[in-house]
Amino acid sequence: MNALIGFLTLGSLIGIAVGLVMCVFQQQRSRGKQIAFYGVVAFAFVLSFALFQGPKDSAQATTGQPTQATAAASPPTYSDVLGKLKIDSVTWEKEGFGTIMKASFVIRNYSTVDVKDVVVTCRHSGNSGTYIDSNTRTIFEVVPHNSYQAVIDLNMGFIHSAVVRSACAVQGYSRT
């Protein structure tokens, strides 16, 4: 797959170069613009495809060989999958006269298995950094492997009035 992406990238860059060279000559200028344009479009497509393939294991990315876990085809343990579930892009606000926490975030699943019913805990601290309280909610959605699930405006429940910072993390999940 990497060879195909490399070949397509090289082809699109050559198309851009040929199109730009053709633009120098008056007779070929319109055709050169088309070739350069399609080369740029192809390069953008190949680049976006390469970027959004999903995360790779560091051992697999450096050697190009499957890791021992994938070679043995044994399912990953609960803690392995839990370690690959991350919370990104957390934004939150106080609602209901400052007593309710409403949060939005993205659950990223970097593991090789689909998960559901993800348990998210947000730990709250005050201005001094002292831990004050926490809220835990279960997200009843499926998060496919090497993918993500956006959660928008989730009511996390009551929040202490002195909370100024909150950090959220995945505490558990169920396999699909």
Side-chain angles (χ1 to χ4, degrees):
M1 184 64 140
N2 289 339
L4 179 63
I5 291 174
F7 178 73
L8 291 174
T9 303
L10 181 64
S12 64
L13 291 176
I14 289 172
I16 293 170
V18 167
L20 291 177
V21 168
M22 288 176 69
C23 285
V24 172
F25 302 104
Q26 185 68 29
Q27 296 171 335
Q28 302 293 328
R29 185 164 291 156
S30 64
R31 184 73 177 140
K33 287 179 182 179
Q34 286 179 339
I35 291 173
F37 173 76
Y38 289 126
V40 169
V41 169
F43 181 74
F45 175 75
V46 169
L47 183 64
S48 64
F49 180 78
L51 289 176
F52 295 111
Q53 276 186 349
K56 288 186 174 182
D57 253 0
S58 59
Q60 185 179 4
T62 57
T63 64
Q65 300 294 324
T67 60
Q68 288 178 349
T70 58
S74 62
T77 64
Y78 183 87
S79 59
D80 289 341
V81 174
L82 186 61
K84 293 183 179 182
L85 293 172
K86 305 293 181 194
I87 300 290
D88 280 346
S89 307
V90 178
T91 59
W92 65 277
E93 58 187 9
K94 292 179 182 179
E95 298 251 330
F97 302 107
T99 59
I100 303 293
M101 177 185 184
K102 189 181 274 189
S104 297
F105 50 86
V106 175
I107 303 169
R108 297 204 181 269
N109 182 0
Y110 294 113
S111 73
T112 57
V113 297
D114 297 349
V115 298
K116 65 178 183 175
D117 303 342
V118 178
V119 179
V120 176
T121 298
C122 295
R123 292 177 46 95
H124 315 301
S125 58
N127 227 1
S128 65
T130 302
Y131 166 75
I132 296 175
D133 196 7
S134 67
N135 292 64
T136 301
R137 292 290 182 267
T138 301
I139 312 304
F140 297 104
E141 296 285 338
V142 174
V143 185
H145 65 284
N146 291 327
S147 185
Y148 65 91
Q149 176 68 45
V151 178
I152 309 297
D153 291 338
L154 177 69
N155 181 342
M156 292 293 291
F158 289 106
I159 189 169
H160 194 280
S161 62
V163 170
V164 294
R165 282 186 287 279
S166 185
C168 300
V170 175
Q171 297 297 316
Y173 69 94
S174 299
R175 289 194 184 210
T176 56

